[in-house]
């Protein structure tokens, strides 16, 4: 049970990290698309949610591919 919770926590942390990395990109896109702020969208969330999901998927793929390997032993293909 503890190992499972540890993997879920790692996936969530990776997702949050990716969301925090993509949120400023959303803000910059919002400044370009809507410079006067007339739209009511929260641009950081528009890019933050896909960033979170991308980080979780990346974490799952990395865990599945590198089950018994170190990071430097993983193949790109």
């Amino acid at each position: 049970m503890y190992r499972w919770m540890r993997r879920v926590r790692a996936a969530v942390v990776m997702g949050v990290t990716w969301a925090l990395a993509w949120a400023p990109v959303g803000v910059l896109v919002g400044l370009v698309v809507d410079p006067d702020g007339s739209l009511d969208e929260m641009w950081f969330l528009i890019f933050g949610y896909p960033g979170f999901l991308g980080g979780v998927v990346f974490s799952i793929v990395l865990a599945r591919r590198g089950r018994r390997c170190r990071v430097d032993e993983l193949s790109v293909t």
Side-chain angles (χ1 to χ4, degrees), residues 37-58:
S38 62
L39 299 175
D40 290 337
E41 284 109 8
M42 291 185 264
W43 290 98
F44 64 94
L45 291 178
I46 291 174
F47 278 70
Y49 287 145
F52 177 79
L53 292 175
V56 169
V57 169
F58 176 75

Side-chain angles (χ1 to χ4, degrees), residues 11-49:
V12 169
V13 167
M14 180 72 74
V16 169
T17 303
W18 279 41
L20 290 175
W22 278 99
V25 175
V27 171
L28 291 175
V29 168
L31 291 174
V32 171
V33 172
D34 185 26
D36 58 352
S38 62
L39 299 175
D40 290 337
E41 284 109 8
M42 291 185 264
W43 290 98
F44 64 94
L45 291 178
I46 291 174
F47 278 70
Y49 287 145

